[in-house]
Amino acid sequence: MLGGHFVHARAAMTARIASLHIYPIKSCAAIDLAESPIDRAGLAGDRRWMILTAQGQFMTQRQWPAMALIRPAITARHLELHAAGMPVLQVPLDDSQLAAVARPVTVWKDTVPARDESAEAAAWISQVLGQDCVLVKLDAQARRPARPEWVERWREGHADLAQAFEGEHAFGFADGFPLLIANQASLDELNARLAAQGQPAVPMNRFRPNIVIQGEWEAYDEDHTAVVSVGPVRMALVKPCTRCPMPNIDQLTAQRHDEPGRTLAAYRQFEIGVVFGQNAIVDAPAGARLRVGDAAEIELDF
């Protein structure tokens, strides 16, 4: 059923938001939130910045696991960057240090305009990562739509829900969609398999979700879920999240391991790849917010 077309009925289930997370700089550490504004671009502040090599290639933990050790914080006026042995770097949120002219940057198959942050920011990150880097911020005029082939596929299979999700779903530097939603029960099931092999449990941060849901959602029911609703906010689960080796990187130490990737690949391998979590698009009214503990209604497809 993953990614397929099917005739569906629907059953509502209830759960709650267990945690909320943003990643202001693509592939750097998370900020854990008690609440967050949300709109069609996802959670506010998520992946608005990105690190490039001196040659302009976007950087991720896949090749540079030490990016996990760059820990952001957001204050009223600054994006703050923290790393062991380094002074705190403050990047103004008012864009006063941005380059005057945007330049094109590429994330996978998408090219969007971005503007360089200060030379000071570049030098700080370069020192942490041990090579010349540039910090860029998504330009205010950038329009990067969620993967249209998956959005349209979902809309075609859910005609009764499709109208709410019409129009643009532009977002930042995430891999392909505004949100990544994970199911706590699925992680619990994975950890049970790891324990049976004598392997330690892994935390949810290995999978870098934006929203973790817990409650009346059985392990991997997200594979067959149409919509997750939290009050007036609706999130359509449009594409399973395929997994590279990043979940094998300890987010606290940046050390690589064999697990959980090896175990996950043994039972979650599908035609599109190894799957954990679901990418989502959003329908939300102006001013909408999500809070940890909010009730979430799960609409399952059969």
Side-chain angles (χ1 to χ4, degrees), residues 152-167:
E152 288 308 308
R153 191 176 194 175
W154 182 92
R155 283 169 43 79
E156 289 170 6
H158 301 85
D160 55 330
L161 298 169
Q163 185 173 358
F165 296 94
E166 286 182 351

Side-chain angles (χ1 to χ4, degrees), residues 191-206:
N191 279 329
R193 289 174 181 259
L194 290 171
Q197 302 172 63
Q199 296 289 336
V202 297
M204 186 64 89
N205 68 8
R206 294 287 192 93

